[in-house]
Amino acid sequence: MKNTGVLYKALNERILVLDGAMGTMLQRYKFSEEDYRGERFKEWEHSLKGNNDLLSLTQPHAIEEVHRKYLEADADIIETNTFSGTTIAMADYHMEELVYELNYESAKIARKVCDEFTSQNPSKPRFVAGSMGPTNKTASLSPDVNDPGFRAITFDELRMAYKLQAEALLDGGSDILLVETIFDTLNAKAALFAIDEIQEERNVKIPIMVSGTITDASGRTLSGQTAEAFLISISHLNLLSVGLNCALGAKQLTPYLETLSKNSDFFISAYPNAGLPNAFGQYDETPEFMAEQIREYADKGLINIIGGCCGTTPPHIKAIADLVKDYEPRKLSVVG
């Protein structure tokens, strides 16, 4: 992993900025079913609209454009367009066979744009984070209320699916693997197990970001863990960072970030939504309002990596980047 040293150096010098929402930006293109299909999948037997990961193959210019806008907004880390890039999630579209290619090509697009920006300004290196979403199955909970012991997926099925995704993301040029939006820590453990296997097989150290999701005001993940329990259950690996994203706005996330920051020797990341969704499922927080809420994180020295999730756009990321450039990153007791 050639950029690992540069990444750790940057993290020790400043708060790094992660990009914002890919889905929010892609909605603006108003792509039709035909746009999702492109020429290659014109005759596909199943509906493909909504398969945003597929756009890396059928509308790569749009994915590149979104990445470019976030980099122009001063993001340091760009996430690949692969949130649903596992055989498990792609089964919804009968596209399991395309998983390696989807992840590989998505990573290549992000890599190309990041390298372009780094070469323009070598003092501000840009990094690619391979996005590994939670899948649409849970290993800890039964989807059937009448059969609490039933599981829709096994740990080993998750491990194999994540391993294929992770290998493709690395082969395409990712600097980091980001296991994100974790609502079930057992799913995340399968991803981490798979990444650890790759580290052994390839004899490399992969920077791993882990980001959980506190689903509501109870302060727990969907599978019932508190922030502290979540941290303990994933801390057996040598992670780059641990943090929280999605579900809540910046203000609501603060106490849980404080818990992670106080109890962890990893770098801490946060990328909240632009507030809570309104009655129409839209996010109303302006860039200025969101940045002002994130000021509390910076004032308290809670974060090393900051970005945005649902509802955030390049102006949100620009406002956050402008804010945190004046702050020191959270200090670690153990570094590297």
Side-chain angles (χ1 to χ4, degrees):
M1 306 293 293
K2 62 181 175 121
N3 285 335
T4 301
V6 182
L7 175 61
Y8 274 96
K9 182 174 183 290
L11 276 163
N12 285 312
E13 290 172 351
R14 57 199 171 88
I15 296 172
L16 295 191
V17 177
L18 187 71
D19 61 4
M22 174 63 77
T24 300
M25 295 297 288
L26 290 176
Q27 282 169 7
R28 297 178 172 189
Y29 289 87
K30 296 185 166 52
F31 286 134
S32 65
E33 175 72 33
E34 288 66 37
D35 295 324
Y36 274 90
R37 288 172 176 268
E39 270 305 306
R40 180 171 165 188
F41 302 103
K42 215 172 183 174
E43 308 300 325
W44 200 258
E45 291 178 8
H46 309 278
S47 172
L48 296 177
K49 191 172 181 184
N51 186 357
N52 283 353
D53 295 31
L54 182 63
L55 296 171
S56 293
L57 302 183
T58 56
Q59 304 289 340
H61 63 282
I63 304 303
E64 184 176 323
E65 192 171 60
V66 172
H67 288 330
R68 197 176 293 281
K69 283 177 177 168
Y70 279 123
L71 289 167
E72 284 166 353
D74 275 349
D76 298 286
I77 304 170
I78 290 295
E79 290 185 60
T80 56
N81 178 42
T82 53
F83 187 80
S84 301
T86 55
T87 48
I88 297 159
M90 280 297 141
D92 287 355
Y93 302 97
H94 304 270
M95 288 192 147
E96 297 95 322
E97 294 298 314
L98 285 166
V99 161
Y100 184 91
E101 184 186 358
L102 281 172
N103 284 280
Y104 180 79
E105 291 301 329
S106 294
K108 269 180 67 178
I109 293 168
R111 176 82 274 152
K112 174 192 158 195
V113 190
C114 277
D115 286 349
E116 188 184 306
F117 275 76
T118 299
S119 66
Q120 287 166 8
N121 183 4
S123 67
K124 186 179 168 66
R126 313 298 179 108
F127 306 96
V128 177
S131 167
M132 300 173 69
T135 84
N136 48 7
K137 301 273 175 74
T138 165
S140 290
L141 305 168
S142 172
D144 182 355
V145 291
N146 298 312
D147 186 0
F150 175 72
R151 295 292 179 269
I153 192 111
T154 66
F155 184 89
D156 215 44
E157 286 168 333
L158 283 162
R159 177 189 64 80
M160 289 188 293
Y162 277 127
K163 190 169 184 182
L164 176 63
Q165 180 180 33
E167 287 176 328
L169 288 169
L170 292 169
D171 293 347
S174 298
D175 301 302
I176 300 161
L177 290 180
L178 169 54
V179 182
E180 64 171 328
T181 321
I182 298 160
F183 61 84
D184 179 354
T185 308
L186 196 55
N187 285 37
K189 278 178 170 285
L192 295 172
F193 191 92
I195 295 168
D196 207 30
E197 279 189 323
I198 297 168
Q199 291 190 119
E200 281 189 36
E201 289 165 10
R202 299 191 177 193
N203 194 26
V204 292
K205 184 188 174 194
I206 300 165
I208 307 164
M209 293 177 66
V210 172
S211 186
T213 294
I214 300 292
T215 47
D216 56 35
S218 72
R220 293 174 182 266
T221 64
L222 189 67
S223 56
Q225 284 187 312
T226 61
E228 196 168 4
F230 165 68
L231 175 65
I232 290 165
S233 62
I234 49 135
S235 290
H236 58 289
L237 269 181
N238 183 19
L239 304 174
L240 174 73
S241 70
V242 64
L244 299 167
N245 75 291
C246 204
L248 302 175
K251 190 170 183 58
Q252 294 89 357
L253 216 54
T254 310
Y256 313 119
L257 272 183
E258 287 177 321
T259 298
L260 294 184
S261 182
K262 188 173 69 186
N263 292 295
S264 176
D265 284 332
F266 303 129
F267 292 111
I268 298 294
S269 73
Y271 48 116
N273 293 345
L276 297 173
N278 62 25
F280 304 101
Q282 303 296 311
Y283 295 86
D284 297 327
E285 281 188 4
T286 64
E288 298 73 26
F289 187 83
M290 187 176 177
E292 204 44 52
Q293 295 201 308
I294 281 167
R295 186 186 295 279
E296 185 177 358
Y297 300 175
D299 283 339
K300 291 181 173 177
L302 300 179
I303 50 169
N304 302 98
I305 300 169
I306 185 71
C309 205
C310 304
T312 57
T313 62
H316 286 86
I317 298 308
K318 179 71 176 134
I320 291 167
D322 288 347
L323 170 82
V324 299
K325 71 176 189 295
D326 299 326
Y327 285 89
E328 289 288 308
R330 169 181 165 276
K331 292 288 174 260
L332 273 67
S333 51
V334 181
V335 177

